[in-house]
Amino acid sequence: MKNTEIISKLNVLLADYQIYYQNIRGFHWNIQGEHFFQLHAKFEELYTDAALKIDEIAERILTIEGLPLHSFEDYLKTSTIKVTKNVHDGETSVSTVADNLQELLSLEREIKELAVKADDHGTEDLMSDFIDQQEKTLWMMKAWLK
């Protein structure tokens, strides 16, 4: 069942999610301004969801006989999402979340296509679930920004 290309891409996704998670935690802690209460709660919802997805990705990698990355050093080397720090305003934080989600969606779609070609229904289903949820979240982030 081992598919090294899918495992490799899932590890990139795992690294991306770890950085995305940390970015959102920082936004949650540091948000200021008139949208504090709304965004503080939303960011908590998003990082809680990201933590669950991180676990699902790592378990999927193990299920298909791979080894998930598990050090921050590896996450920083592997991630395509950039670390964001010292952001306090709603506009920048929501815009960054939207950009991060777009990056995640792009990679999830790529992994889904690889899974289809490899007849890996488990990975395909996982990516489909992630994509469905994140498309809606991305739409909401973009609507907030308008």
Side-chain angles (χ1 to χ4, degrees):
M1 178 179 230
K2 189 172 186 174
N3 184 316
T4 55
E5 186 175 13
I6 291 173
I7 292 166
S8 176
K9 292 291 184 178
L10 284 170
N11 266 313
V12 174
L13 186 63
L14 179 62
D16 282 351
Y17 263 99
Q18 290 286 9
I19 302 305
Y20 170 68
Y21 171 87
Q22 284 304 126
N23 285 344
I24 296 170
R25 287 299 298 248
F27 301 153
H28 170 77
W29 292 328
N30 294 307
I31 194 70
Q32 297 175 0
E34 66 180 297
H35 300 291
F36 171 83
F37 291 107
Q38 174 193 32
L39 291 176
H40 184 76
K42 186 60 167 177
F43 294 146
E44 183 173 3
E45 174 189 321
L46 292 175
Y47 75 67
T48 300
D49 178 67
L52 293 172
K53 284 180 170 62
I54 287 165
D55 195 52
E56 290 181 69
I57 296 164
E59 289 176 353
R60 185 67 199 159
I61 292 167
L62 289 164
T63 300
I64 59 175
E65 301 175 7
L67 181 64
L69 298 177
H70 58 276
S71 76
F72 279 99
E73 178 183 14
D74 288 338
Y75 300 146
L76 290 169
K77 280 195 254 180
T78 306
S79 179
T80 63
I81 290 178
K82 302 296 179 227
V83 172
T84 304
K85 55 186 182 176
N86 299 323
V87 172
H88 305 282
D89 67 285
E91 180 103 8
T92 303
S93 59
V94 172
S95 178
T96 301
V97 169
D99 291 345
N100 288 179
L101 284 170
Q102 194 64 61
E103 187 77 25
L104 291 168
L105 278 164
S106 177
L107 183 54
E108 289 162 354
R109 289 180 180 121
E110 182 182 346
I111 293 168
K112 182 180 174 189
E113 290 305 312
L114 290 171
V116 168
K117 291 176 186 168
D119 207 28
D120 178 352
H121 300 292
T123 301
E124 179 186 354
D125 289 346
L126 184 63
M127 292 302 102
S128 291
D129 290 346
F130 284 13
I131 290 165
D132 287 346
Q133 295 166 12
Q134 287 168 326
E135 284 176 338
K136 184 175 181 180
T137 303
L138 180 58
W139 159 67
M140 290 179 181
M141 295 293 113
K142 287 179 176 180
W144 189 92
L145 288 166
K146 288 186 180 181

